[in-house]
Amino acid sequence: MSCSSRLKINMASQKSDTAMSPKITGELLRQLRQAMRNCKFFSEPIQAYIVPSGDAHQSEYIAPCDCRREFICGFNGSAGTAIVTEQHAAMWTDGRYFLQASQQMDNNWTLMKMGLKETPSQEDWLISILPDNSTVGVDPWIIAADQWKNMSRALTSAGHSLVALQDNLIDAVWMDRPERPSTRLRTLGLEYTGISWQDKITALRAKMTKRKVTWFVATALDEIAWLFNLRGADIEYNPVFFAYAIVGMNTIRLFVDLKRLSDPALREHLQLDSPSKPELSIRTFPYESVYTELQAVCAALGPKDKAWICDKASCALTQVVPKSNRSPIPYTPLCLAKAVKNAAEVKGMKVAHIKDAVALCELFAWLEKEIPKGAVTEISAADKAEELRSQQKDFVGLSFPTISSVGPNGAIIHYRPLPETNRTLSMNEVYLIDSGAQYVDGTTDVTRTVHFGTPSAFEKECFTYVLKGHIAVSAAVFPNGTKGHLLDSFARAALWESGLDYLHGTGHGVGCFLNVHEGPCGISYKTFADEPLEAGMIVSDEPGYYEDGSFGIRIENVVLVVPAKTKYNYRNRGSLTFEPLTLVPIQVKMMSTELLTQKERDWVNEYNRKCRDVIGAEMERQGRREALEWLSRETQPIV
């Protein structure tokens, strides 16, 4: 999934030029600049203030109380950094969001298009416009330690200084800022997790012992949820909850809103009142006290003691650990363990994807019937998808906001329909829907691009190049130890050959009833820091092509890394390939089948046959006859 208000569906929804209206920010910027000069917040005025997009846990999706960058500039995409100086205001984001950001920000703001040659980095831009010896401020809780280090180094070498402001200046001017959510926690049994939290702690400690590390600080919300086999609903789309954990060799500290721990089932799950062994006893503390507790832990460290903390953890917490005791790591052992799904998790993910496919096939059958009547819009189609998913067993919610886009809106990579941009689906435009759900047994994320009339030759040609790329990744066989970024160009080769490309990565890791985007693996040219793919990892395969002002195409499956049988076995390395978990037919009508090789045609036929067999059987079981008829029509083999 590259990333609703239900007001009125305006009459102008036929036209796509009714763009989103930008947020008016003049007065807010005036108040923020006043706060930057106010010595209440820092001993001297600051010349620039950085507003990153994350929260104190560096989450991709965030709670409303943490949407500070959106509050100050109006842009609400999942990635972006705003910087405000006395005279200027600029916001950096990537290619997924260029169009959206330009529509959501007023002319007080300059959009900085990351990845383009002419775009300066944040550091270079600051250095070019700041007066000599300037002070640049940031909230140390919402900037990652590695970002702080790079920014600080660059600014210092140019004679400026980066300083930590204990009070967040956006909060100082945000009068009606929402409260931090504290939802009910859900315990997950072994049938879903495959491993008890006690065994996860033991495995973590074994890794610590091996590396001679005595403490581990967990700050990522999905890692904490995974470690304790708990889920929450504090952040929309992500079943996580606000918490920190500090694990020692014989102590476990969990920092969470203590009011949440009154539920007897939860206390039983965590063995709060009857720990089995002293070293598996969890001590609970208020969420806010992590700073002082970590200070106390660090005060008692011996010169040889080491503490593990992710270099993406907040600068505030990282700096509590003395440098000599700090062992920064790009990915934590929890991140790596969570990425490799065990048998119970794989089984759950398969079940979730079957249920999800039933709902999506029903959606397409319904769209086919309703679109000719001229009353289906991007918003009503997205709502219908959610309604159909919610009928499936163990549905919890969506895994990200549905991207439901027709015609020119499809070219906006992370588009989400709003009343002012909402278009009506028709028989003569390409429709792209990228959507997913959270079920108790797994997380889904699937994109299909379809046409309900007759696609143009160019639309079919582009779709076929994207399909060839999708198949190239899905069918790839590669040695154990291969990193995902090496497979990225497999997905682009057919597009490149015709002079086309797309401006996003090809795949991301997917959590199991957790975040739809998770590290440390992925398939993207943007990172070489990804971890090697190994059997049990789950990633997405989603090449695309976007023709601005006209259409967008993306074909996305979630795939499981599995061992591959090969003729030879060089140096005993072993080989891997992918098995699709997503089982929704790929529309043959959109293909120029003469551009496909025999191998590619066989792949499509085999894939659509598997959709028919597996999803058909589940539809029979659920008695969904109409969708079943649609499924058998859509999975006829290419001759």
Side-chain angles (χ1 to χ4, degrees):
M1 167 217 101
S2 290
C3 260
S4 329
S5 42
R6 316 260 182 270
L7 302 162
K8 58 187 191 320
I9 288 164
N10 57 19
M11 299 315 291
S13 67
Q14 308 294 332
K15 304 196 292 290
S16 76
D17 42 62
T18 49
M20 328 179 192
S21 46
K23 175 166 181 168
I24 309 301
T25 60
E27 175 55 23
L28 287 176
L29 286 169
R30 191 190 64 75
Q31 292 175 14
L32 176 61
R33 287 172 173 136
Q34 206 174 329
M36 285 160 61
R37 291 189 293 269
N38 186 337
C39 294
K40 179 177 115 184
F41 299 113
F42 194 68
S43 52
E44 56 191 282
I46 61 169
Q47 283 70 51
Y49 190 62
I50 303 174
V51 187
S53 70
D55 57 15
H57 305 269
Q58 276 56 56
S59 311
E60 177 187 13
Y61 291 96
I62 52 181
C65 59
D66 290 315
C67 295
R68 299 179 178 96
R69 186 252 299 142
E70 176 188 350
F71 174 77
I72 196 65
C73 75
F75 166 63
N76 67 356
S78 64
T81 299
I83 303 185
V84 178
T85 68
E86 279 298 329
Q87 310 291 315
H88 306 270
M91 203 282 303
W92 281 256
T93 190
D94 63 66
R96 295 171 299 172
Y97 292 121
F98 292 167
L99 264 161
Q100 180 182 333
S102 63
Q103 292 173 342
Q104 290 182 324
M105 299 193 306
D106 67 8
N107 53 16
N108 285 301
W109 289 87
T110 306
L111 171 60
M112 296 293 190
K113 298 180 173 180
M114 289 161 68
L116 302 191
K117 278 201 296 288
E118 62 274 18
T119 305
S121 67
Q122 295 166 24
E123 295 88 335
D124 289 346
W125 181 78
L126 279 168
I127 290 165
S128 70
I129 61 155
L130 287 174
D132 291 347
N133 305 322
S134 287
T135 305
V136 178
V138 67
D139 178 343
W141 285 93
I142 57 175
I143 185 167
D146 58 348
Q147 290 170 302
W148 170 281
K149 199 168 150 187
N150 297 338
M151 177 69 80
S152 182
R153 190 182 295 143
L155 291 174
T156 306
S157 68
H160 307 297
S161 56
L162 182 64
V163 299
L165 268 58
Q166 290 316 314
D167 293 289
N168 188 294
L169 297 191
I170 302 294
D171 297 358
V173 300
W174 189 352
M175 289 316 148
D176 50 357
R177 182 166 163 254
E179 289 291 296
R180 184 162 303 284
S182 182
T183 54
R184 190 160 167 227
L185 300 182
R186 174 197 296 265
T187 62
L188 286 185
L190 279 176
E191 67 276 22
Y192 295 115
T193 65
I195 307 176
S196 70
W197 67 259
Q198 290 91 338
D199 288 346
K200 290 179 180 180
I201 291 273
T202 305
L204 169 62
R205 284 176 174 155
K207 286 182 183 163
M208 288 162 65
T209 303
K210 197 171 155 192
R211 294 290 175 86
K212 302 189 168 49
V213 169
T214 39
W215 294 94
F216 170 65
V217 184
T219 64
L221 300 183
D222 61 334
E223 294 182 16
I224 295 165
W226 179 86
L227 178 62
F228 292 105
N229 292 336
L230 294 173
R231 299 293 186 268
D234 289 3
I235 295 180
E236 202 178 5
Y237 312 116
N238 294 200
V240 297
F241 54 95
F242 285 103
Y244 293 97
I246 302 175
V247 179
M249 289 320 285
N250 43 30
T251 60
I252 306 165
R253 291 172 172 82
L254 177 63
F255 301 85
V256 63
D257 174 8
L258 298 177
K259 291 197 289 294
R260 311 173 98 152
L261 301 177
S262 54
D263 174 24
L266 176 63
R267 298 189 72 81
E268 169 65 23
H269 171 84
L270 292 176
Q271 299 193 318
L272 293 181
D273 306 309
S274 55
S276 54
K277 301 184 181 139
E279 68 273 21
L280 290 172
S281 155
I282 299 175
R283 294 175 59 198
T284 57
F285 298 84
Y287 173 71
E288 294 74 22
S289 64
V290 65
Y291 190 82
T292 46
E293 272 300 309
L294 185 57
Q295 278 180 319
V297 165
C298 292
L301 289 176
K304 290 246 160 58
D305 288 338
K306 288 280 180 210
W308 254 346
I309 186 161
C310 183
D311 63 13
K312 289 163 204 62
S314 71
C315 173
L317 275 188
T318 304
Q319 291 185 347
V320 174
V321 186
K323 212 165 176 173
S324 58
N325 301 110
R326 204 185 301 158
S327 187
I329 38 176
Y331 298 109
T332 74
L334 298 184
C335 179
L336 295 162
K338 172 168 60 65
V340 181
K341 312 300 189 264
N342 62 46
E345 291 169 319
V346 169
K347 182 176 165 230
M349 285 293 266
K350 286 183 173 175
V351 170
H353 280 84
I354 291 170
K355 296 186 284 200
D356 209 57
V358 170
L360 270 183
C361 292
E362 278 199 291
L363 172 75
F364 289 127
W366 179 83
L367 287 173
E368 213 167 73
K369 212 171 65 218
E370 295 299 318
I371 285 170
K373 303 177 189 170
V376 181
T377 66
E378 292 168 333
I379 290 179
S380 69
D383 288 347
K384 186 71 180 177
E386 181 169 4
E387 178 199 317
L388 292 168
R389 281 185 162 110
S390 69
Q391 296 168 12
Q392 294 295 323
K393 183 171 178 278
D394 287 334
F395 170 84
V396 177
L398 299 184
S399 54
F400 57 94
T402 299
I403 299 169
S404 169
S405 55
V406 69
N409 288 344
I412 303 173
I413 296 170
H414 262 211
Y415 174 81
R416 55 187 288 196
L418 296 166
E420 58 267 35
T421 59
N422 192 27
R423 287 172 70 87
T424 301
L425 275 59
S426 76
M427 309 282 286
N428 42 32
E429 284 186 319
V430 172
Y431 177 59
L432 181 159
I433 179 166
D434 181 349
S435 61
Q438 298 284 5
Y439 301 92
V440 180
D441 39 19
T443 301
T444 67
D445 177 2
V446 44
T447 309
R448 288 295 178 265
T449 306
V450 294
H451 204 294
F452 296 99
T454 308
S456 72
F458 182 56
E459 287 164 349
K460 287 173 68 168
E461 184 187 356
C462 294
F463 182 92
T464 308
Y465 295 147
V466 171
L467 174 64
K468 285 164 96 67
H470 178 95
I471 296 170
V473 170
S474 196
V477 176
F478 47 93
N480 250 315
T482 300
K483 291 188 170 191
H485 69 257
L486 285 180
L487 302 178
D488 183 78
S489 45
F490 286 35
R492 297 177 198 271
L495 286 160
W496 281 352
E497 207 172 309
S498 299
L500 303 176
D501 199 6
Y502 53 95
L503 295 179
H504 58 74
T506 301
H508 53 82
V510 180
C512 183
F513 185 28
L514 262 179
N515 298 357
V516 75
H517 288 161
E518 71 168 25
C521 53
I523 303 174
S524 177
Y525 63 98
K526 293 180 180 184
T527 173
F528 300 122
D530 49 332
E531 286 292 315
L533 294 168
E534 53 180 288
M537 285 182 170
I538 294 180
V539 294
S540 67
D541 169 10
E542 50 179 316
Y545 176 68
Y546 310 90
E547 182 72 21
D548 278 352
S550 192
F551 62 84
I553 292 163
R554 188 162 58 254
I555 304 170
E556 174 185 23
N557 283 348
V558 169
V559 296
L560 169 69
V561 183
V562 293
K565 294 185 177 44
T566 50
K567 185 174 174 188
Y568 303 110
N569 186 6
Y570 179 67
R571 296 203 165 178
N572 236 0
R573 272 198 303 199
S575 293
L576 300 169
T577 184
F578 296 111
E579 175 194 326
L581 298 181
T582 306
L583 294 173
V584 178
I586 300 171
Q587 192 180 40
V588 175
K589 183 206 290 190
M590 280 292 291
M591 302 173 197
S592 291
T593 52
E594 71 283 359
L595 294 177
L596 296 174
T597 63
Q598 190 54 50
K599 225 171 160 179
E600 289 166 337
R601 266 179 235 160
D602 292 344
W603 186 94
V604 171
N605 287 340
E606 175 51 33
Y607 177 76
N608 280 349
R609 184 198 61 75
K610 190 175 178 185
C611 294
R612 185 169 63 241
D613 295 352
V614 177
I615 306 308
E618 182 61 18
M619 285 172 172
E620 292 259 18
R621 211 183 58 70
Q622 294 188 19
R624 300 183 187 263
R625 306 286 327 158
E626 240 174 278
L628 188 56
E629 284 165 30
W630 176 90
L631 180 68
S632 38
R633 280 200 311 277
E634 283 294 310
T635 51
Q636 293 305 313
I638 303 170
V639 232

